[in-house]
Amino acid sequence: MSAGSWPCPDAASAGSPEPFKSGVAAGEAVRDSGAQWSIIRPNNFNQNFDEGLWRAPLRAGLLALPIGSAPEPFIDVQDVADVAAALLASDGHHGKVYELSGPRALTFGEAVEMMADVAGRSIRYAELTLEEYRAELVAGGASEDEVEEVDAMFAAMRAGHLAEPTDAVRQVLGRAPVDFGDYVAQAAAAGAWS
């Protein structure tokens, strides 16, 4: 899992899914520090597909996860970095939480289909049960705490809590976030899934 790649709702967010422990602890530490603060919470990174945890399965032709049919508005890491830089360099953001997302939501199946089309090869998405995925995580050496955190993240995604695109990137930067199709075209041109 890429650091920061999963949204981390906190207990103070109305309508948020069950909070992720690491995100709650980090948010509380920041708020309790006495320093001025802003928090950014990005959705899944586009780059998880070409640099991170899903690249190897995609190159092998199959990404299998227990996501369900809820869409995800994947965000580009450049947008996250640009927002962070803007928050550090400008006033007016103290005490604000920014939920960062891409401009449109896609299911994992739609995202993988787009990658396959642009890469010009067969890549497919398959749905796993939670039990199957838990078994894969444990077999790969994940601790029970890590498995529970991933379960909570997938539960939030399946429930659609993270499905709606936000306008936070536009609020902070005055421009739209990178579209997933543009990311896929660049990554495929660089040979990400060849």
Side-chain angles (χ1 to χ4, degrees):
M1 196 178 313
S2 298
S5 63
W6 308 114
C8 297
D10 64 35
S13 299
S16 287
E18 185 66 26
F20 299 117
K21 293 181 233 177
S22 60
V24 172
E28 288 173 355
V30 166
R31 288 182 179 104
D32 295 343
S33 70
Q36 288 197 355
W37 58 267
S38 300
I39 295 175
I40 58 175
R41 295 192 299 221
N43 275 43
N44 274 305
F45 296 150
N46 293 345
Q47 285 72 18
N48 285 335
F49 292 105
D50 74 306
E51 297 174 7
L53 69 160
W54 299 320
R55 182 179 185 185
L58 288 164
R59 287 178 67 103
L62 174 65
L63 179 63
L65 298 168
I67 300 294
S69 61
E72 174 86 9
F74 305 104
I75 187 162
D76 201 88
V77 295
Q78 188 61 56
D79 289 330
V80 177
D82 290 349
V83 167
L87 296 181
L88 289 169
S90 61
D91 294 327
H93 302 287
H94 173 63
K96 294 184 179 179
V97 177
Y98 293 95
E99 307 283 348
L100 303 180
S101 80
R104 63 179 167 145
L106 300 164
T107 65
F108 272 73
E110 291 168 336
V112 169
E113 184 177 331
M114 188 181 298
M115 287 177 257
D117 288 346
V118 174
R121 59 179 293 254
S122 175
I123 309 172
R124 65 185 186 89
Y125 173 77
E127 184 68 21
L128 290 180
T129 66
L130 280 175
E131 294 75 21
E132 290 168 332
Y133 195 66
R134 284 179 66 92
E136 284 187 10
L137 290 175
V138 170
S143 71
E144 189 58 34
D145 284 346
E146 291 169 326
V147 171
E148 287 179 19
E149 187 116 352
V150 171
D151 280 352
M153 183 263 313
F154 282 137
M157 291 171 70
R158 282 190 310 278
H161 291 293
L162 311 173
E164 288 298 317
T166 70
D167 67 346
V169 171
R170 186 176 296 281
Q171 285 176 24
V172 175
L173 301 177
R175 65 162 176 82
V178 172
D179 185 75
F180 191 76
D182 294 335
Y183 152 74
V184 168
Q186 284 186 327
W193 307 296
S194 301

